[in-house]
Amino acid sequence: MSPTQPPYQVTDPATGEVLQTFPYATGAEIETAIAAADTAFTAWRQVPIAERAAIVQKVSDLFGERAEELARLSRQEMGKAIDEGKEESEFSQAIFGYYATEGPRLAADRPIPTSEDTGGTAMVEYRPVGPVLGIMPWNFPTYQIARFAAPNLVLGNTVILKHAECVPQTALAVAQIMKDAGVPEGAYVNVFATHEQVETIIADRRVQGVSLTGSERAGAVVAALAGQYLKKCVLELGGSDPMVVLDSADVPKLAETAWDFRVYNNGQVCNSNKRMIVMEDVYDSFVAELTEKARAIDLATHAPMSSRRAAEAIDEQIKDAVGKGATLHAGGVLGDGPAAKFSPGVLTGVTPEMRAFHEELFGPVAVVYKVASEDEAVELANATRFGLGGSVFSADVERAKRIARRLDVGMANVNTPAGEAAELPFGGTKRSGFGRELGPLGFDEFCNKRLYYIAD
């Protein structure tokens, strides 16, 4: 175990109180988990896909039935508001339901037209590959599992799930949902693994791939291990998504949209609109609207961030910016410890000399930039090492579409901060990672797209 790795424990971010601690898995338990997933794969892949899909539909139903329970766990473990926790569980329900419904179609053989010289009959078959490891983050503790587990279970892979150390109760609750829905033993295995045990799992010849959602640092480590052991990997890493405002006939309404998306889950969202890039003719009114919303928030009643460490991290970034000349219009106040309170803020005047210009701000701070032209807006939007998502707003849809096509991102959106649904692929480019989850593309990632050719 790494000496710096935190234990699996429940720490209430509203109080800083440690409520429960869970032991790390032993080496024997890790071996048992891998062996169970490998053994289960042999049988699970032979179950007709319609039957696998029916079991995954039961998983979907249970996410709906237990939404309140899962929301309470999220609030206790990482500070998520109850209504947002229920929304997350309902989205997880929709994802499992989508793959239960669409999975058989997505897995169907696809014919390849052959030339006269080639002849014969050719098709691509969609086959499972075996046990796959998912390394999940804390910010959306059920939704992240759904994105990974749902398509793999329908396809016929088995899942080994290593969740974030701060959400062990949620990890166990989801494992119970799988069991109660009839997912066979070994087809979904939760492990409280250490960092070293994660390498053990990736290295094991029985494990065929790994998917991680997390930080750049974690992504680099996992990608290196996947390369070392020749395993397929999918990475969804950080983001510093631009929201480009070209014009607006209703600035208050647009500012409300921007603010609500930025502070959702206390700003702890990978594809949040972390950089608002606003044309100079609407900039002042836009900033004023955001500032008014920030000033209206009472820190005492506002939900905590996920941990004291997370709150202190965003506080340090804001202090660095203000110390170098940025303007904090409202909010941005770190509450007394050990609670994880941090008030949503509005920051302008950020320049390349500041950490806030280059780093991901994983907390409820709206950073607003002023630009004078479309070209300047695009240049600033793309001036980041990240490339997860981005959005463009304009009353002229064709204008917004034209600018959105110039964004170097994995997900470009017009007149909405983000297009999000079970059927819409999610993923980025540059240092935001590679590979896709959700939708038809998410089904393909850990899939043997096998050529099947029959000569004449």
Side-chain angles (χ1 to χ4, degrees), residues 64-378:
E65 292 174 15
R66 299 179 188 179
E68 185 79 32
E69 171 193 343
L70 292 168
R72 288 198 301 271
L73 292 177
S74 293
R75 180 179 64 178
Q76 186 178 73
E77 293 185 312
M78 50 75 60
K80 190 185 296 281
I82 288 291
D83 59 341
E84 292 183 2
K86 290 177 66 176
E87 288 175 0
E88 181 186 350
S89 297
E90 290 162 0
F91 197 2
S92 302
Q93 176 186 10
I95 292 167
F96 279 102
Y98 168 80
Y99 285 109
T101 301
E102 296 295 324
R105 179 184 63 81
L106 295 172
D109 296 345
R110 302 181 196 180
I112 302 174
T114 56
S115 68
E116 194 172 300
D117 292 337
T118 305
T121 301
M123 65 186 68
V124 175
E125 299 177 314
Y126 289 75
R127 297 298 182 94
V129 295
V132 289
L133 170 66
I135 304 171
M136 299 293 105
W138 48 262
N139 59 328
F140 287 94
T142 64
Y143 160 69
Q144 299 285 172
I145 293 177
R147 298 195 321 187
F148 173 67
N152 281 300
L153 289 173
V154 173
L155 178 61
N157 293 327
T158 54
V159 171
I160 301 170
L161 200 290
K162 185 269 179 213
H163 218 320
E165 288 82 359
C166 65
V167 291
Q169 291 181 135
T170 300
L172 294 174
V174 172
Q176 188 64 48
I177 283 176
M178 298 292 178
K179 181 178 180 179
D180 293 347
V183 175
E185 183 177 355
Y188 182 96
V189 184
N190 179 78
V191 292
F192 288 153
T194 66
H195 295 164
E196 288 76 11
Q197 289 169 339
V198 166
E199 179 173 359
T200 298
I201 297 169
I202 295 173
D204 195 284
R205 61 173 179 77
R206 293 165 290 186
V207 176
Q208 301 303 309
V210 55
S211 178
L212 173 136
T213 298
S215 67
E216 291 175 86
R217 179 176 175 275
V221 171
V222 167
L225 291 172
Q228 179 181 349
Y229 298 110
L230 298 178
K231 302 295 174 71
K232 168 70 182 289
C233 73
V234 170
L235 302 177
E236 195 267 281
L237 308 177
S240 189
D241 291 12
M243 174 182 172
V244 178
V245 177
L246 299 174
D247 57 71
S248 177
D250 190 343
V251 173
K253 182 178 180 181
L254 181 55
E256 182 176 15
T257 296
W259 181 256
D260 288 347
F261 193 64
R262 185 64 189 101
V263 301
Y264 191 82
N265 201 31
N266 245 331
Q268 301 164 123
V269 182
C270 296
N271 64 322
S272 180
N273 51 340
K274 299 185 177 81
R275 296 179 298 136
M276 303 179 194
I277 300 168
V278 183
M279 294 293 253
E280 58 187 359
D281 56 338
V282 295
Y283 172 86
D284 288 340
S285 55
F286 188 86
V287 170
E289 290 289 338
L290 295 180
T291 300
E292 183 179 340
K293 293 183 180 301
R295 286 176 176 161
I297 293 175
D298 180 3
L299 179 60
T301 59
H302 187 69
M305 293 185 65
S306 62
S307 67
R308 181 68 185 181
R309 184 173 62 177
E312 290 174 347
I314 187 85
D315 182 59
E316 290 171 3
Q317 290 169 309
I318 300 311
K319 285 179 177 176
D320 172 79
V322 172
K324 294 175 180 176
T327 300
L328 183 63
H329 296 259
V333 176
L334 178 66
D336 294 334
K341 294 292 188 88
F342 184 85
S343 62
V346 179
L347 188 69
T348 65
V350 172
T351 63
E353 294 75 30
M354 303 169 187
R355 292 175 56 192
F357 187 90
H358 303 283
E359 298 177 1
E360 178 179 25
L361 298 184
F362 212 61
V365 177
V367 179
V368 191
Y369 296 86
K370 182 195 295 186
V371 292
S373 70
E374 293 179 358
D375 287 345
E376 185 183 358
V378 171

Side-chain angles (χ1 to χ4, degrees), residues 397-409:
V397 176
E398 291 304 315
R399 182 188 187 197
K401 287 164 61 177
R402 185 177 71 249
I403 299 304
R405 290 192 182 97
R406 298 172 63 186
L407 300 181
D408 295 334
V409 297

